[in-house]
Amino acid sequence: MDGTLRKYLPERAVNPCFELIQRYGVHLKIVNHRVTRHGDYRKIPGGGHQITVNASLNKYRFLITLIHEIAHLVAFEEYGRAIKPHGVEWKRTFQTLMVPFIRPEIFPSQLLPILAHHFKNPKASSSTDARLSIALKAYDPQSESRKSYVFELPFGSTFRLYNGKLFQKGKKRIKRYECVELSTGRVYLFQPNAEVEFVK
């Protein structure tokens, strides 16, 4: 297992992650890319724990996602199943598990202050923290960096989502952008760091 982990994690994170996986009896599955999620956790029959993480993530996002999912397991075990999945108990657990990894031997120095800020109040997904998401994307393989962010596109431009739907970018409303789905005329709000394909 730790041999497999070396392919997906920063080198100095491999042993502590392997220890967490062993301590909590995690069955880790590394799966093909899923657009809608980076990873997930579920309890499996017999009382075991399964965590899946996308193989397509860069090493730093893979590490954050793995610890995010282990935090679900630990929070549920410690506080019970009635807690909110991304409530205060999970946030506290995620912070505690993640702090030992936020150091220059594991993350590039330019990511450290952004991670420190994010983990003051971690969000349900690193992708909803625009600053962190953009910073992490710099470490993606070049072939995966062809897409644009919504905030980069000119006002009124057309873009395509992964599902083929076309939208026109509109005005910014506080933090998100109003975008019109061209086939229906319905307005949707997009995070500034949503990754899309620029059309025209």
Side-chain angles (χ1 to χ4, degrees), residues 7 11 32 37 49 56 64 75 82 122 135-136 140 149 161 185 199:
K7 182 179 171 185
E11 188 179 339
N32 291 332
R37 62 181 60 187
H49 305 281
S56 57
I64 293 167
L136 286 170
D140 286 349
Y149 291 119
L161 285 188
V199 177

Side-chain angles (χ1 to χ4, degrees), residues 13-33:
V14 171
N15 287 341
C17 282
F18 185 60
E19 286 169 17
L20 285 173
I21 287 166
Q22 285 191 310
R23 184 189 313 163
Y24 294 108
V26 171
H27 174 61
L28 177 65
K29 283 178 70 177
I30 298 168
V31 299
N32 291 332
H33 180 71

